[in-house]
Amino acid sequence: MNRRKFIKSGSLFFAAGTLSSFDFPDAPTYEFNDKVEGPVILSTWIHGLEANRAAWNVLAKGGSALDATVAGAMHTESDLTNRSVGIGGRPDRAGHVTLDACVMDGDGRSGSVGFLEGIAHPAAVAKAVMEKTPHAMLVGAGAKQFALDHGFETIKTPIPEVKKDYLAWKKENKDLFKPPKINHENHDTIGLIARDAKGNFGGTCTTSGWAYKMPGRLGDSPIIGAGLFVDNEVGAATATGLGEAIIRVAGSAIVVELMRIGMKPSEACKEVVLRIIRKNKDLTGLQCGFIAMDKEGNVGGFSVYNGFNFALKSSLRDEMVDADFDRKW
Ligand code: ASP
């Protein structure tokens, strides 16, 4: 029996953002069919299920893969209950919620924002950076000014529930530049990759990053080649987990390059995860996961530890898939 399980999304069991398929040992299991026909979207984690449906509204009308992934990302960015993406995200050690995002299309065009505070949709701003500037990346005050100049919605962060948690955390954590604890529960980006009806690929990655990170820290999520990589000649990949480890192996770009030389998406994701494992002597709490899809419609994912899953949506399918992994917690 294949270790991966499909959990039908129509199930009563799901409450987005709270549960993973690991919580339901009795859920129906299916052999994983890695190949998907037609338009398809994959997204990291359980919040991907709802995000995929928002993205599908674009794909089903013949919209582009890039626009679909941005629509999906915006859905998650608006979710007040999500503590790792958008408005509900957790702050850095100084109490600032700083958002990171990037987008890429299959022709190699990309845009990215980092350290963006007080703006509702960093994914949409990243797309505007791609379309309206000669640059690939804007960060901090410049990114914010750009967003304001282009009329992007503003938000007040942290939201009250998150601020309350932060103030409690701060009582125990007074040093602004002490390295944050590695804890697999304090990060969970959404990365979305899609193929549209024309066969073009696009992707978006958006996050509030590692909770209680040092001020100024950027992870992999806004970095093209680390958190996301897309190439119509091959396919697409995106990442989640400890961004530092993903940046150091240029994770998503390498997944795509391994698919270019013939690996299936799951094999390519596994190879990069094994590389991360080899290069990090201490794997305590180091969770990283990748998902990928190729031109033929093969899809897959792999993570360091168990517990990583991704959402898959096509015209026939709408479900969570447990990624394969190297080891158990
Ligand atoms: N990769 C993100 C970061 O390092 C966080 C995550 O995916 O959990 O900022």
Side-chain angles (χ1 to χ4, degrees):
M1 169 81 73
N2 193 311
R3 188 164 64 216
R4 288 171 290 199
K5 286 181 294 181
F6 275 138
I7 310 298
K8 290 288 180 196
S9 60
S11 141
L12 296 173
F13 300 133
F14 276 111
T18 54
L19 302 176
S20 99
S21 47
F22 271 82
D23 298 308
F24 303 110
D26 298 332
T29 60
Y30 305 84
E31 273 306 302
F32 182 57
N33 171 9
D34 300 76
K35 195 154 171 159
V36 186
E37 305 293 336
V40 53
I41 175 147
L42 301 186
S43 308
T44 55
W45 303 111
I46 183 75
H47 46 216
L49 210 48
E50 288 292 325
N52 280 1
R53 292 170 190 163
W56 190 255
N57 291 334
V58 177
L59 279 187
K61 288 187 197 123
S64 76
L66 176 66
D67 287 346
T69 59
V70 172
M74 289 173 69
H75 181 87
T76 310
E77 287 170 345
S78 299
D79 179 358
L80 290 167
T81 66
N82 192 310
R83 293 286 167 268
S84 52
V85 178
I87 186 168
R90 295 200 190 279
D92 63 15
R93 298 181 81 81
H96 296 274
V97 179
T98 61
L99 303 177
D100 304 329
C102 72
V103 301
M104 189 168 192
D105 75 10
D107 293 328
R109 300 195 313 148
S110 72
S112 156
V113 289
F115 208 76
L116 183 61
E117 198 174 355
I119 299 292
H121 293 299
V125 183
K127 182 165 177 264
V129 170
M130 174 179 118
E131 289 173 342
K132 299 182 195 309
T133 82
H135 302 307
M137 188 168 203
L138 293 178
V139 302
K144 181 153 185 182
Q145 194 55 54
F146 171 80
L148 294 174
D149 289 352
H150 286 79
F152 283 98
E153 184 190 343
T154 57
I155 48 173
K156 193 164 164 23
T157 53
I159 60 172
E161 304 90 297
V162 169
K163 188 163 182 180
K164 196 168 151 231
D165 289 351
Y166 167 70
L167 293 175
W169 172 88
K170 203 175 157 203
K171 279 193 191 138
E172 312 292 319
N173 296 273
K174 302 219 181 310
D175 179 355
L176 202 59
F177 285 98
K178 193 175 146 208
K181 268 202 205 113
I182 296 177
N183 174 352
H184 70 279
E185 283 165 3
N186 58 11
H187 47 89
D188 265 2
T189 298
I190 184 156
L192 311 96
I193 50 178
R195 183 182 65 180
D196 60 31
K198 292 186 179 143
N200 292 320
F201 285 84
T204 299
C205 189
T206 181
T207 191
S208 51
W210 190 345
Y212 310 132
K213 59 198 173 188
M214 289 185 189
R217 180 261 188 193
L218 291 183
D220 60 307
S221 306
I223 301 188
I224 294 297
L228 176 71
F229 201 71
V230 182
D231 185 342
N232 273 347
E233 291 174 6
V234 182
T238 188
T240 178
L242 192 69
E244 284 71 4
I246 296 164
I247 290 171
R248 288 176 180 133
V249 296
S252 294
I254 299 296
V255 170
V256 170
E257 291 313 301
L258 291 173
M259 293 195 297
R260 191 188 301 274
I261 58 170
M263 282 191 186
K264 285 272 164 48
S266 53
E267 293 168 337
C269 293
K270 179 176 181 180
E271 178 56 33
V272 174
V273 165
L274 295 182
R275 201 174 287 188
I276 287 173
I277 290 171
R278 284 200 301 278
K279 291 191 183 301
N280 289 273
K281 301 275 172 283
D282 181 6
L283 292 173
T284 314
L286 196 167
Q287 175 66 310
C288 290
F290 292 88
I291 57 173
M293 104 169 92
D294 68 17
K295 273 203 314 197
E296 281 70 50
N298 298 302
V299 304
F302 201 89
S303 55
V304 176
Y305 287 99
N306 63 308
F308 173 50
N309 55 9
F310 60 91
L312 183 161
K313 173 114 186 74
S314 69
S315 60
L316 298 176
R317 295 160 65 167
D318 184 12
E319 53 217 7
M320 292 302 298
V321 181
D322 287 337
D324 278 337
F325 50 86
D326 185 69
R327 59 195 61 204
K328 290 197 168 186
W329 289 107

